[in-house]
Amino acid sequence: PNDKLLVGLIGAGIQRSLTPAMQEEEARHHGLRMHYQLIDLDVTKSGPELLPTLLAAVRTMSFAGLNITFPCKQAVIPLLDELSDEARAMGAVNTVVHRDGKLIGHNTDGSGWSWNFQRALPDADLSRVLLLGTGGAGSAIAHAALRMGVQELRLYDVDPARAQALAAELNRLYGAGRAVAVAEIAGGIADASGLIHATPMGMDKMPGLPLAEELLRPELWVSEVVYFPIETALLKAARAKGCRTVDGGGMAVGQAVGAFKLFTGREPDAARVDAHFRRL
Ligand code: NAD
């Protein structure tokens, strides 16, 4: 029998992904032989229209599962047999499990973020939180933050329509007044207890800060999603002000740990995955 666990990642521009290394190394510790295949749409020179072909191959080749990333997290949904409650609420799938002939969509991005956040700052004040960026990562985190107990989530995006649409959806799902789109950062941060950063600012290819440094205060906790590099300008500025911070690496580990559990049914050793990730 073929005892090798086949999994993979479908997305565009994923050659630098650290997920294959994290998944294969954790599988090895569990005595499992895993092959994690990168299926890069930039390499195949195609877009999400290739998904039906790829998912048919996943079914016939007995893949155990898949991770899904940009630009396929929404496009994959109509091709699946079932969705978890979380994936359905978010309208986005980052993990697919292939079991008993069915493809089931899950989302471990948001839960990966909250798992790591609670591990890093268990006593954080969740009363009023400003979220910068309401794209893929930001919207997954927004759902997770409200599920975790953030009382009021303020949403800011350079594209105000995006923040407004997400706020409306969050209020419908989690209760009126839980989310509010704000027109400027200064007002949203003034009496906030925490800041979540989910824009691409601070990435190697987009250096800089996503807000004016003067707006940071020592009482504010700061959670970063950018993890190329791990040490962003925002984290440096926040620590210099005395803020407690959470880096973007933990969320990447959190989504991988959640996906590993779904793929294998085994309990991953999160501390071991985290330590390995930080050596990569
Ligand atoms: P995205 O393009 O889907 O969303 C980014 C959003 O930020 C957009 O809505 C955009 O309008 C907004 N934006 C851009 N610049 C802004 C600014 N200066 N101020 C306010 N809003 C701004 O991108 P994404 O997939 O959500 O990724 C965002 C970042 O998160 C990237 O750096 C990505 O690598 C990182 N990320 C990290 C993890 C992790 O596990 N740590 C997971 C996913 C994404």
Side-chain angles (χ1 to χ4, degrees):
N2 187 351
D3 64 346
K4 211 166 197 176
L5 207 57
L6 263 179
V7 290
L9 169 63
I10 300 178
I14 53 177
Q15 293 304 314
R16 284 179 73 196
S17 172
L18 301 177
T19 304
M22 281 195 274
Q23 296 287 349
E24 288 180 355
E25 175 70 0
E26 187 57 16
R28 197 179 61 76
H29 281 286
H30 288 260
L32 300 169
R33 301 197 315 140
M34 177 189 280
H35 174 75
Y36 193 106
Q37 179 73 22
L38 288 180
I39 304 162
D40 191 334
L41 299 180
D42 282 357
V43 172
T44 56
K45 298 197 183 353
S46 53
E49 72 283 353
L50 195 62
L51 279 173
T53 308
L54 293 174
L55 292 195
V58 159
R59 290 181 197 265
T60 53
M61 293 169 76
S62 302
F63 270 60
L66 285 173
N67 284 129
I68 306 288
T69 190
F70 177 83
C72 298
K73 286 181 183 181
Q74 283 88 27
V76 76
I77 290 178
L79 306 170
L80 303 175
D81 301 303
E82 287 171 24
L83 287 180
S84 72
D85 290 344
E86 217 172 357
R88 187 187 313 277
M90 292 179 180
V93 162
N94 86 319
T95 303
V96 175
V97 175
H98 185 204
R99 195 159 293 148
D100 304 326
K102 282 187 174 166
L103 296 178
I104 303 161
H106 297 264
N107 195 308
T108 68
D109 285 327
S111 55
W113 175 83
S114 46
W115 168 81
N116 181 61
F117 183 85
Q118 286 172 308
R119 199 171 63 122
L121 299 180
D123 58 346
D125 180 351
L126 302 179
S127 48
R128 289 171 303 275
V129 175
L130 175 66
L131 169 68
L132 299 181
T134 55
S139 55
I141 291 171
H143 285 268
L146 291 177
R147 285 168 181 249
M148 186 178 81
V150 165
Q151 286 158 36
E152 184 189 312
L153 186 67
R154 298 160 180 179
L155 309 175
Y156 175 82
D157 199 292
V158 283
D159 177 354
R162 202 174 267 190
Q164 283 156 10
L166 180 61
E169 177 65 1
L170 294 170
N171 284 324
R172 189 181 68 77
L173 286 170
Y174 304 107
R178 296 289 302 284
V180 54
V182 296
E184 37 101 36
I185 297 177
I189 207 171
D191 64 344
S193 53
L195 172 72
I196 304 169
H197 175 240
T199 87
M201 284 292 295
M203 297 180 76
D204 293 325
K205 57 184 180 208
M206 219 177 275
L209 280 172
L211 80 175
E213 200 165 343
E214 311 80 72
L215 295 174
L216 298 169
R217 294 170 277 114
E219 311 77 49
L220 199 68
W221 53 258
V222 176
S223 169
E224 172 69 288
V225 299
V226 172
Y227 67 111
F228 283 124
I230 286 278
E231 269 294 307
T232 61
L234 173 62
L235 286 177
K236 282 189 195 131
R239 279 198 213 107
K241 286 270 164 134
C243 302
R244 295 198 295 162
T245 60
V246 187
D247 71 37
M251 177 181 173
V253 170
Q255 64 76 23
V257 162
F260 184 87
K261 207 184 292 187
L262 290 167
F263 292 150
T264 65
R266 308 270 188 120
E267 194 63 45
D269 181 334
R272 180 167 65 200
V273 178
D274 191 79
H276 177 230
F277 171 82
R278 284 163 201 283
R279 289 195 303 273
L280 289 171

